[in-house]
Amino acid sequence: MMNVKMRNWLIGAGTPVLLLTAWWLSSENSTDPFFPPLRTILVRFQELWLFEHFQSDVLVSLGNLFLGFAIAAAAGVGIGCATALVPTVRWMVDPLIHFLRGIPPVALVPIFISLIGFGTEMRVASIALAALFPTMIATVDGIRSVSNDLMDVARVYRLSRRERLLNVLLPAATPQIFSGLQVSLQVAFIVMIASEMLGSSQGIGAMTLLAQQSFMTADMWAGILLLGVIGFLVNVLFGLLKHRVLSWYIGSRRMARAA
Amino acid sequence: MSIRQLATLSPRPRKSSMAQQPETRISTTTPRLDVAHLAKSYGSGEKAHKVIEDLTFTVDAGEIVCIVGPSGVGKTTLLKCLAGLHPASSGRASIDGRAISGPPAEMALVFQDYNRSLMPWLTVRKNLILPLRHLRLPASELKERCDSALAAVGLSHAGNQYPWQLSGGMQQRVAIARALAYRPEILIMDEPFASVDAQTRFDLEDLCLKIRRDFNMTILVVTHDIDEAVYLADRVVVLGSRPARVLKVVDVDLPVPREQITTRSLPEFARQRTEVLSLIKRPA
Ligand SMILES: Nc1ncnc2c1ncn2[C@@H]1O[C@H](COP(=O)(O)OP(=O)(O)OP(=O)(O)O)[C@@H](O)[C@H]1O
Ligand SMILES: [Mg+2]
């Protein structure tokens, strides 16, 4: 049991190491201006991001990402609940949802990029707006699919409207809401980078594009590497949160499968 | 209440104190639970599916009444009407003379689908507490109610587990404990002992008799086990299909207190269960 776990873990951690080694070895003597040696890239990585531009660019990017995502998550869950529960809101929002449901969230990104103006507020706003829909749609679906049996229990025991929402509907919908949040996070990340590449002088995206435009390919690769690392870490953090909040769901699913 | 209604509502000459009382006295007692010409169909118009056509029976305060009937006859539907979850299509159900239009405060219902009626994200203890939160009880009383309800169903050790970590029979007992912790005046249970082992089943039946004695609770139980119905009940309502109607209300005249071995071996017990069984077996 433990051995299988260890082995899987080793494979999971080993594969990226293997790939990096392969990259390192194959690029070692590269003179191709577009594919500089990994060594050079890592040196630039260290010089640029640790920690010269950390505050001025990395923190700005992360700040925008989290602010935008937080707004999207709160508004998405809020509007989603209202849509699922309030008939008037449902009539207003449902057509939009039906329209958006068929489109992959990432395909909407160009719309929000064209909305991006200058200034931090606009960037945060476009991140939030783009990331709003996946969470909103997942919340509507999640709340609507709460079983009638649970709602009957809530009614028999005369839970207040507030209790029904906070203690029955929302917890029961969390598995779906979290799937929505995960997609929202990805969208937020993409729009965050895109917003910096277009019309900004600050942030990782802006730095990376600037490097590309001034033919400093090692710097460009360093930027891309940083984005990859951040994306990975953000996903790991989200996974930890999800594991914590949904431990009951994961456990009950495992139990159901075992039975 | 008219004389005609009275005749249909209380057809039983009860051997207990009531029988000695003058007619006038009876007319002043409203039954705790009163089901009068209740009908229920699902859907409407052409596609309406008539489940219950005309049900009439009563349950007095402090009484245990069991409902038996074939599967699919509409027992769960009836209980959901009584619990105020479904509106009756016609006729009425009332508590103390007040028509039931929504879930009544004094009632708790143990659902048939116990595994779908517990909140999987809450531990057993928190499942018990959820219905009590709006009562704003002091913490000590909350704890006391949970502890005693869990102890009553033999699950004191399982308070911090999640329902899905428990066996089916244990989950069913959690659902019963949740109803007990709510301390209802009227307890309605839908096949509550269906998936527990024989020993636990006897214990829960006796628990049922005990809480009626201790709290003067009014209890209505749907069961498919005729022996259980006769053992528990003061009266057994036998339903026939379809649509559901009352075949007969059988008065159970077994001595109290009842005891699993002695009561079940009485010749009277055998006679009563035969009566109920032959009603059910009889081709409709
Ligand atoms: N929500 C519903 N909508 C439509 N029809 C329903 C609904 N609930 C139950 N029915 C139908 O009503 C009939 C009676 O169902 P009900 O669950 O009340 O029977 P029951 O006596 O409790 O059966 P069992 O002993 O198997 O639990 C069935 O034919 C069922 O298909
Ligand atoms: Mg049923």
Side-chain angles (χ1 to χ4, degrees):
Chain A
M1 189 66 205
M2 198 55 216
N3 276 336
V4 174
K5 232 180 177 170
M6 283 271 275
R7 205 195 62 192
N8 289 346
W9 202 87
L10 278 177
I11 293 175
T15 315
V17 172
L18 218 65
L19 287 174
L20 279 176
T21 316
W23 184 5
W24 179 282
L25 292 178
S26 64
S27 67
E28 189 151 29
N29 301 313
S30 166
T31 48
D32 186 332
F34 294 105
F35 297 102
L38 182 53
R39 186 207 305 268
T40 321
I41 295 173
L42 288 181
V43 170
R44 287 304 290 157
F45 184 91
Q46 191 265 329
E47 288 169 0
L48 280 176
W49 306 120
L50 310 172
F51 293 89
E52 195 187 327
H53 290 276
F54 191 78
Q55 262 205 332
S56 63
D57 296 278
V58 179
L59 282 189
V60 170
S61 295
L62 287 179
N64 288 353
L65 175 67
F66 284 115
L67 195 57
F69 176 67
I71 294 171
V77 172
I79 300 173
C81 287
T83 307
L85 300 173
V86 185
T88 332
V89 182
R90 176 160 68 230
W91 294 121
M92 282 161 43
V93 181
D94 247 4
L96 179 66
I97 287 183
H98 285 308
F99 175 70
L100 290 173
R101 204 188 283 280
I103 307 172
V106 178
L108 295 173
V109 167
I111 305 176
F112 300 105
I113 291 176
S114 65
L115 291 178
I116 296 166
F118 297 92
T120 313
E121 298 81 12
M122 278 309 291
R123 273 200 287 282
V124 172
S126 62
I127 293 172
L129 201 59
L132 171 74
F133 295 105
T135 299
M136 184 177 101
I137 293 175
T139 306
V140 174
D141 291 345
I143 291 207
R144 280 188 191 157
S145 62
V146 175
S147 83
N148 282 331
D149 299 285
L150 288 188
M151 292 324 291
D152 277 351
V153 171
R155 288 177 60 204
V156 161
Y157 289 107
R158 298 161 63 90
L159 302 195
S160 63
R161 285 174 66 91
R162 192 188 139 87
E163 283 177 314
R164 274 188 233 176
L165 177 63
L166 295 182
N167 298 323
V168 182
L169 288 169
L170 276 178
T174 39
Q176 290 198 50
I177 293 177
F178 263 80
S179 308
L181 285 172
Q182 185 128 37
V183 179
S184 285
L185 188 58
Q186 287 160 5
V187 172
F189 194 66
I190 295 169
V191 176
M192 182 266 288
I193 298 167
S195 75
E196 291 171 349
M197 290 188 166
L198 298 155
S200 168
S201 53
Q202 262 191 333
I204 311 165
M207 290 281 293
T208 307
L209 196 72
L210 187 69
Q212 190 255 337
Q213 284 163 349
S214 25
F215 301 103
M216 300 197 282
T217 30
D219 290 15
M220 178 193 82
W221 279 104
I224 292 170
L225 206 59
L226 178 67
L227 288 172
V229 169
I230 290 177
F232 174 74
L233 289 180
V234 165
N235 261 318
V236 166
L237 278 182
F238 185 82
L240 287 177
L241 177 72
K242 180 169 161 177
H243 205 85
R244 216 188 141 77
V245 175
L246 290 183
S247 62
W248 64 269
Y249 182 70
I250 297 163
S252 66
R253 286 277 299 269
R254 190 182 305 138
M255 207 62 130
R257 269 201 304 276
Chain B
M1 192 180 290
S2 76
I3 299 296
R4 197 192 65 79
Q5 261 178 316
L6 245 187
T8 57
L9 294 184
S10 326
R12 68 223 140 81
R14 294 215 48 200
K15 297 268 164 23
S16 55
S17 55
M18 284 262 270
Q20 273 86 51
Q21 285 166 0
E23 282 294 324
T24 50
R25 185 61 198 279
I26 295 174
S27 63
T28 58
T29 38
T30 346
R32 197 79 231 254
L33 210 56
D34 181 358
V35 180
H37 305 292
L38 186 84
K40 173 72 193 170
S41 0
Y42 286 111
S44 58
E46 287 286 284
K47 279 181 286 179
H49 170 33
K50 195 172 263 184
V51 178
I52 300 175
E53 190 155 59
D54 185 347
L55 273 192
T56 298
F57 67 93
T58 61
V59 183
D60 286 333
E63 208 177 21
I64 297 183
V65 169
C66 285
I67 298 176
V68 295
S71 184
V73 71
K75 303 182 297 291
T76 299
T77 304
L78 167 67
L79 294 197
K80 287 194 172 171
C81 289
L82 292 181
L85 293 174
H86 295 324
S89 304
S90 71
R92 66 179 228 152
S94 38
I95 290 184
D96 300 331
R98 288 174 287 112
I100 297 169
S101 57
E106 55 270 73
M107 185 187 284
L109 173 62
V110 176
F111 290 82
Q112 182 171 12
D113 299 311
Y114 54 88
N115 55 349
R116 280 186 276 143
S117 82
L118 296 170
M119 314 290 162
W121 58 90
L122 296 178
T123 60
V124 166
R125 187 169 279 278
K126 287 185 177 156
N127 262 288
L128 264 58
I129 287 177
L130 181 60
L132 308 177
R133 290 165 54 121
H134 64 265
L135 302 180
R136 309 220 172 284
L137 303 168
S140 58
E141 182 172 357
L142 268 188
K143 183 171 167 0
E144 197 275 317
R145 282 196 187 195
C146 286
D147 289 345
S148 60
L150 285 176
V153 297
L155 285 179
S156 298
H157 59 284
N160 295 322
Q161 284 183 285
Y162 286 91
W164 41 266
Q165 294 177 310
L166 307 175
S167 72
M170 289 165 91
Q171 291 178 33
Q172 204 165 22
R173 277 140 72 197
V174 174
I176 295 170
R178 177 172 62 187
L180 293 181
Y182 193 65
R183 306 255 161 103
E185 292 169 26
I186 303 172
L187 176 61
I188 297 188
M189 299 196 275
D190 198 350
E191 302 196 11
F193 313 140
S195 65
V196 300
D197 61 90
Q199 178 55 47
T200 310
R201 191 178 184 120
F202 290 152
D203 291 346
L204 290 176
E205 285 167 9
D206 289 332
L207 173 69
C208 202
L209 294 169
K210 179 172 149 49
I211 54 176
R212 185 263 296 268
R213 225 175 21 246
D214 292 354
F215 299 102
N216 194 34
M217 218 181 261
T218 307
I219 302 175
L220 184 63
V221 185
V222 164
T223 173
H224 57 242
D225 182 337
I226 293 165
D227 287 45
E228 176 170 279
V230 173
Y231 177 71
L232 278 180
D234 298 310
R235 288 181 301 133
V236 178
V237 177
V238 185
L239 295 185
S241 52
R242 310 173 159 190
R245 63 210 147 80
V246 178
L247 289 182
K248 190 173 182 200
V249 179
V250 176
D251 289 284
V252 180
D253 300 311
L254 294 171
V256 282
R258 296 183 186 172
E259 201 275 330
Q260 291 289 356
I261 294 169
T262 52
T263 304
R264 282 174 194 264
S265 54
L266 292 173
E268 185 63 11
F269 184 89
R271 200 190 58 71
Q272 299 266 359
R273 78 177 287 280
T274 310
E275 180 180 0
V276 175
L277 186 60
S278 54
L279 282 166
I280 288 183
K281 278 291 203 186
R282 195 180 61 192

